[in-house]
């Protein structure tokens, strides 16, 4: 029987980007379905989080993600532009967001089309690998095509019913909370959350306890 994992994931999370290639490999090598469930970043969902966090957290995150990318052999640079527009005065998410709503809705539409994980993989690679102005030109269209999707068709579906995709995101965020965590990436199997790219070994161990098998 195919085992299934829910993946709660954000386009602004470097750890989500760093985890995705291994998740893709797991879904390729094992009889495993990984359901992509994109959520909005904490900066959008819960902006006050950053008022409470230790000021050392952001410098550590930048150092930690850079060395993990180096260890994994993945190209890495903080995106230009940032998927979340930040108000330079308050340092919080700006009232107008030109990217993150579209990206997150696209992730939901890709999952709806059966290519969610592949889309997250391809698009996050464009955003986080150092592509300048990833939002312009054909960058996202080529990434969508790599995942087996047509970006224009996804955008058209979302434009026809944006409330449907906002409802999907809200449902993902509710399920994420109910699973027992707030951060991304969080993988949930049989109601048990596994938070962070450094918990993939633990997730794989648990899946094997439940009969995870390599594909023929």
């Amino acid at each position: 029987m195919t085992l299934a994992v829910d993946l709660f994931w954000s386009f602004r999370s470097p750890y989500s980007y760093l985890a995705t290639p291994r998740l893709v490999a797991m879904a390729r090598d094992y009889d495993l379905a990984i359901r992509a469930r994109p959520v909005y970043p904490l900066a959008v969902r819960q902006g006050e989080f950053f008022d409470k966090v230790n000021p050392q957290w952001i410098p550590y995150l930048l150092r930690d993600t850079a060395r993990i990318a180096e260890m994994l052999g993945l190209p890495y640079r903080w995106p230009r532009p940032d998927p979340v527009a930040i108000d330079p005065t308050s340092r919080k998410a700006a009232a107008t967001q030109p990217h993150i709503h579209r990206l997150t809705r696209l992730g939901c539409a890709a999952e709806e089309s059966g290519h969610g994980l592949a889309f997250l993989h391809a698009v996050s690679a464009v955003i986080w690998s150092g592509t300048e102005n990833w939002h312009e030109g054909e960058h996202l269209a080529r990434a969508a095509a790599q995942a087996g999707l047509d970006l224009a068709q996804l955008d058209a579906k979302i434009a026809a019913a944006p409330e449907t995709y906002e409802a999907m995101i809200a449902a993902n965020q509710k399920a994420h909370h109910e699973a027992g965590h707030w951060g991304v990436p969080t993988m949930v199997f049989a109601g048990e959350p596994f938070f962070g790219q450094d918990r993939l070994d633990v997730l794989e161990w648990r899946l094997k306890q439940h009969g995870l098998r390599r594909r023929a």
Side-chain angles (χ1 to χ4, degrees):
M1 181 179 69
T2 300
L3 300 182
V5 168
D6 282 343
L7 171 62
F8 298 99
W9 191 101
S10 159
F11 283 94
R12 203 210 186 198
S13 161
Y15 289 114
S16 289
Y17 161 63
L18 295 170
T20 303
R22 184 167 172 194
L23 289 164
V24 168
M26 288 173 66
R28 179 195 66 217
D29 296 342
Y30 292 101
D31 187 12
L32 177 66
I34 297 179
R35 296 183 291 240
R37 303 194 66 176
V39 299
Y40 284 131
L42 277 174
V44 174
R45 277 188 289 142
Q46 193 179 336
E48 66 277 8
F49 171 87
F50 296 98
D51 293 333
K52 302 172 185 177
V53 75
N54 190 301
Q56 292 180 313
W57 182 73
I58 292 178
Y60 179 81
L61 176 144
L62 296 174
R63 171 179 287 182
D64 188 46
T65 52
R67 69 186 172 198
I68 292 170
E70 182 181 0
M71 180 184 73
L72 297 174
L74 293 174
Y76 175 75
R77 188 185 71 182
W78 197 269
R80 300 178 189 177
D82 192 319
V84 173
I86 299 297
D87 185 305
T89 302
S90 68
R91 304 306 302 165
K92 294 183 179 180
T96 300
Q97 289 294 328
H99 307 302
I100 195 60
H101 296 291
R102 181 192 181 204
L103 287 170
T104 309
R105 292 172 186 174
L106 282 169
C108 290
E111 175 63 21
E112 183 181 45
S113 299
H115 299 267
L117 183 61
F119 184 84
L120 302 188
H121 185 211
V123 171
S124 66
V126 170
I127 293 172
W128 288 94
S129 67
T131 304
E132 196 78 27
N133 295 319
W134 53 264
H135 63 305
E136 296 179 347
E138 295 299 311
H139 295 306
L140 293 181
R142 284 196 293 265
Q146 184 181 332
L149 295 165
D150 184 292
L151 184 66
Q153 290 180 3
L154 293 178
D155 277 328
K157 285 178 65 176
I158 294 164
E163 67 284 352
T164 297
Y165 295 93
E166 282 301 310
M168 288 181 189
I169 296 166
N172 289 347
Q173 292 175 171
K174 182 173 185 290
H176 185 195
H177 174 77
E178 291 174 349
H181 213 280
W182 61 92
V184 290
T186 293
M187 292 67 64
V188 178
F189 170 67
E192 184 178 11
F194 300 80
F195 165 63
Q197 58 83 31
D198 55 345
R199 291 296 179 267
L200 292 176
D201 287 338
V202 183
L203 171 64
E204 187 172 327
W205 165 77
R206 179 67 85 208
L207 290 166
K208 287 178 177 177
Q209 288 184 326
H210 287 259
L212 182 69
R213 296 289 183 268
R214 287 194 172 271
R215 296 189 187 276

